[in-house]
Amino acid sequence: MKHHTHPITVFQNMGSFLFLLIIPLARGALSFGASFSEWLSGAWVDILALCAIIGMAVLRWYCIYYYFTPEAVHISEGIFAKHTVSLPFSRLTSLYLEEPFWYKPFGAVTLRLDTDAGSARSHDATLTLKKRAAVELLGATGVRQRLEDVSHRQIFMCRNFYVVILSLITTNYFAGVLFCSTFISKLGDILGQQIADLLYGTLAHVAQLVAVGIPPVALFIATLLAIGWGVSFLRNLTRYYNFCITRSQHRLFITGGVLVGREYTVAFDKIHFIDIRQTLFTRIAQFYSVYIKCAGYGKSDGLLPVLIPSARKSTLFGYLERLVPEFVVTPRTIKPNLLSIFKFIIDPLGFLVAVPVFYFVTGWLLPSWHDLISFVSLMSLVPIFWFLGVRICDFCTTGISEKNGYYTLRYSQGFTLHTVVVHRDKICDVCCRQSILQMGDDACDLFLYTYGEGVTRHHLKNLPRRQVCDLFGLNPEKSHSFNPSHHFAKYN
């Protein structure tokens, strides 16, 4: 039996046909200065364009329908050319049920379905349905979405204090600034450009008033970043508030959110790996956050694929044993030697050398900008020293181990320390790379690739080459070039 999506989809579809508004806009520009009666005589064109937008949106909604069989759900759409997607229930990796507060008066929810075969950036299928219809479809997949119906459940409910910690460490300054800028621009489009100019002007005026020995431009940028940080923090907090996980035998059920209720269903055997992350701050404070890699989970609206928002070491492994007992973290058996620390700190040391060069060169070329250049140079030292601290921690923790087919990888990426646990079946390629500088102590960089929606690369630096080759069954005697882009061995 064919089912249509929720009628609210009509309003969503109207955005695709707003280009037709160019007709009344063009007519208004051409009739500028004409009398009201002359403009009114051609109003039928505007009405026709509006009817076309509504009509096309309704027609597109009518042409979208779905039906399900015992084996799969089939989704068909298209006005002139039909396009049908079939998703076998056995291949579904995650299901995402989203209920924004503005949908509740209409009884609508958004259901998103994913498999390993889809795009890494978009969901395989997205349907806006009546809540009753979404529950019916979930029942057809064999997934019970209601948590109280899950038998033999093991529940992890994160204290909201730890959700605040997660929001603090994942807040993105620039995402917040972009959100604020977009909001102000849209507000200017609606209420007039004077409103947007007034808001930006007020920020600049405040920066000038409070600037004491600090260049106003620098303080204005700092004010924008602070506002962006606050907005991004609040967005993260509302996303993960009341975070809760229930595990059945084969699935994880994840819920949370304030303004937008979110419910994820993740097939346990479709999880590619778990990722325990720390920043330098959380390492000092002994907090850990755990993420999972699974197709579809965390794909929408900048969401993170969180398994445990934040926990201390004393409770972390107990939570992991309850939620993902198959993924066991083991102590590293292969690690860098003591003399290889230079390999880890060479990048931040290079930045430390570059800052004085930038200061003197730009100060000589632009003497009138001396105050701003001094401020930028001084402030840039903060992330560089932070990066240096991360790399020192990376040197102290980097390594790899294996037990029962599960590999534990420890490495850093950017400002984040990762501990990844992955099964050998999820590994698609292992490459060792040795530079001429690593030849003396016979070390190498390990690149391990895991598959899912796309490929994820894990880079471990300066490990003993022969031990790595023995662990993965590689041939250490195979001839190789010292070209940095050349891989001398691969895992089959």
Side-chain angles (χ1 to χ4, degrees):
M1 180 179 177
K2 296 180 180 180
H3 306 272
H4 287 286
T5 58
H6 195 284
I8 201 172
T9 310
V10 172
F11 297 96
Q12 298 173 343
N13 293 338
M14 288 176 66
S16 302
F17 303 103
L18 290 181
F19 67 91
L20 293 175
L21 289 177
I22 195 173
I23 298 174
L25 290 175
R27 196 185 70 83
L30 292 175
S31 61
F32 181 76
S35 64
F36 177 74
S37 59
E38 291 177 337
W39 175 85
L40 189 62
S41 64
W44 63 271
V45 177
D46 303 343
I47 297 173
L48 187 62
L50 182 61
C51 290
I53 293 173
I54 297 174
M56 293 294 287
V58 172
L59 181 60
R60 186 174 181 179
W61 165 77
Y62 183 77
C63 292
I64 299 175
Y65 60 88
Y66 69 95
Y67 61 96
F68 46 87
T69 61
E71 296 81 21
V73 58
H74 311 274
I75 303 164
S76 180
E77 60 180 317
I79 298 176
F80 303 108
K82 285 292 182 182
H83 175 69
T84 302
V85 175
S86 297
L87 302 177
F89 295 144
S90 61
R91 299 295 182 181
L92 291 177
T93 58
S94 65
L95 300 93
Y96 174 31
L97 191 66
E98 183 181 71
E99 187 177 11
F101 71 90
W102 55 88
Y103 274 12
K104 288 185 177 181
F106 306 98
V109 296
T110 298
L111 178 64
R112 295 182 170 93
L113 310 174
D114 277 279
T115 67
D116 277 331
S119 167
R121 295 187 177 183
S122 60
H123 295 277
D124 293 2
T126 301
L127 297 170
T128 301
L129 308 172
K130 295 179 181 178
K131 194 168 185 177
R132 183 178 66 256
V135 172
E136 182 184 3
L137 178 55
L138 288 170
T141 66
V143 176
R144 293 183 181 272
Q145 191 68 20
R146 292 177 59 84
L147 301 182
E148 58 267 28
D149 291 338
V150 180
S151 58
H152 308 294
R153 62 182 183 271
Q154 297 179 3
I155 296 179
F156 164 75
M157 186 167 185
C158 184
R159 290 170 52 191
N160 285 322
F161 167 74
Y162 293 114
V163 175
V164 172
I165 297 295
L166 174 72
S167 302
L168 285 172
I169 62 179
T170 58
T171 293
N172 188 322
Y173 294 86
F174 298 103
V177 170
L178 181 62
F179 178 83
C180 291
S181 299
T182 304
F183 175 78
I184 293 175
S185 298
K186 294 298 182 183
L187 191 65
D189 293 340
I190 296 171
L191 301 180
Q193 187 60 35
Q194 293 83 357
I195 297 295
D197 294 340
L198 178 63
L199 291 174
Y200 284 122
T202 301
L203 287 175
H205 182 63
V206 170
Q208 289 179 345
L209 290 177
V210 301
V212 179
I214 302 175
V217 173
L219 195 59
F220 176 72
I221 295 173
T223 303
L224 281 180
L225 289 177
I227 294 173
W229 183 92
V231 171
S232 182
F233 170 75
L234 291 175
R235 292 181 72 197
N236 286 338
L237 188 60
T238 57
R239 286 169 175 171
Y240 306 112
Y241 205 73
N242 293 329
F243 186 89
C244 179
I245 297 182
T246 300
R247 174 166 178 178
S248 66
Q249 184 177 2
H250 302 294
R251 294 181 177 88
L252 294 174
F253 300 86
I254 304 169
T255 63
V258 178
L259 300 178
V260 179
R262 296 182 171 92
E263 297 182 13
Y264 277 100
T265 303
V266 176
F268 186 80
D269 61 345
K270 305 297 183 182
I271 296 176
H272 304 129
F273 58 81
I274 68 168
D275 184 1
I276 305 171
R277 299 182 190 176
Q278 283 186 300
T279 64
L280 188 58
F281 167 75
T282 57
R283 183 168 181 80
I284 295 171
Q286 288 296 297
F287 284 107
Y288 297 80
S289 298
V290 184
Y291 303 80
I292 58 176
K293 175 69 173 180
C294 180
Y297 181 35
K299 188 183 291 184
S300 298
D301 194 27
L303 292 171
L304 297 171
V306 178
L307 181 67
I308 300 175
S310 183
R312 293 191 178 274
K313 188 176 183 179
S314 57
T315 57
L316 173 70
F317 294 102
Y319 292 148
L320 289 176
E321 187 176 354
R322 293 175 62 192
L323 296 174
V324 283
E326 293 82 354
F327 291 87
V328 179
V329 180
T330 54
R332 56 181 181 160
T333 56
I334 301 175
K335 57 185 178 180
N337 62 57
L338 187 61
L339 299 178
S340 64
I341 187 172
F342 181 74
K343 171 71 175 178
F344 291 81
I345 64 175
I346 187 171
D347 293 337
L349 290 180
F351 289 125
L352 284 176
V353 172
V355 169
V357 173
F358 167 81
Y359 172 77
F360 287 111
V361 171
T362 55
W364 177 67
L365 294 174
L366 303 168
S368 60
W369 290 59
H370 178 268
D371 291 342
L372 180 60
I373 293 170
S374 300
F375 177 80
V376 171
S377 300
L378 182 64
M379 294 304 295
S380 65
L381 293 176
V382 175
I384 292 174
F385 277 111
W386 194 265
F387 187 35
L388 179 61
V390 171
R391 282 301 180 87
I392 293 174
C393 290
D394 185 24
F395 167 71
C396 296
T397 58
T398 284
I400 187 172
S401 59
E402 185 270 339
K403 183 179 180 180
N404 298 330
Y406 285 89
Y407 293 89
T408 300
L409 318 173
R410 292 177 168 89
Y411 61 94
S412 74
Q413 186 175 18
F415 290 87
T416 306
L417 299 167
H418 297 261
T419 300
V420 172
V421 183
V422 59
H423 193 268
R424 63 162 58 98
D425 292 341
K426 303 297 183 181
I427 298 174
C428 59
D429 194 11
V430 175
C431 303
C432 296
R433 187 182 72 185
Q434 187 179 57
S435 70
I436 196 169
L437 296 177
Q438 294 171 317
M439 186 177 180
D441 56 355
D442 197 24
C444 71
D445 282 7
L446 172 66
F447 295 87
L448 189 145
Y449 298 85
T450 56
Y451 68 86
E453 288 180 313
V455 175
T456 303
R457 189 184 77 164
H458 312 271
H459 178 196
L460 288 76
K461 293 179 282 293
N462 231 62
L463 299 177
R465 185 179 64 89
R466 286 187 175 272
Q467 293 184 41
V468 171
C469 291
D470 290 342
L471 182 64
F472 291 101
L474 306 176
N475 181 8
E477 306 300 334
K478 188 174 181 179
S479 60
H480 56 274
S481 167
F482 291 106
N483 188 329
S485 64
H486 179 68
H487 298 150
F488 74 86
K490 290 191 175 182
Y491 176 78
N492 297 315

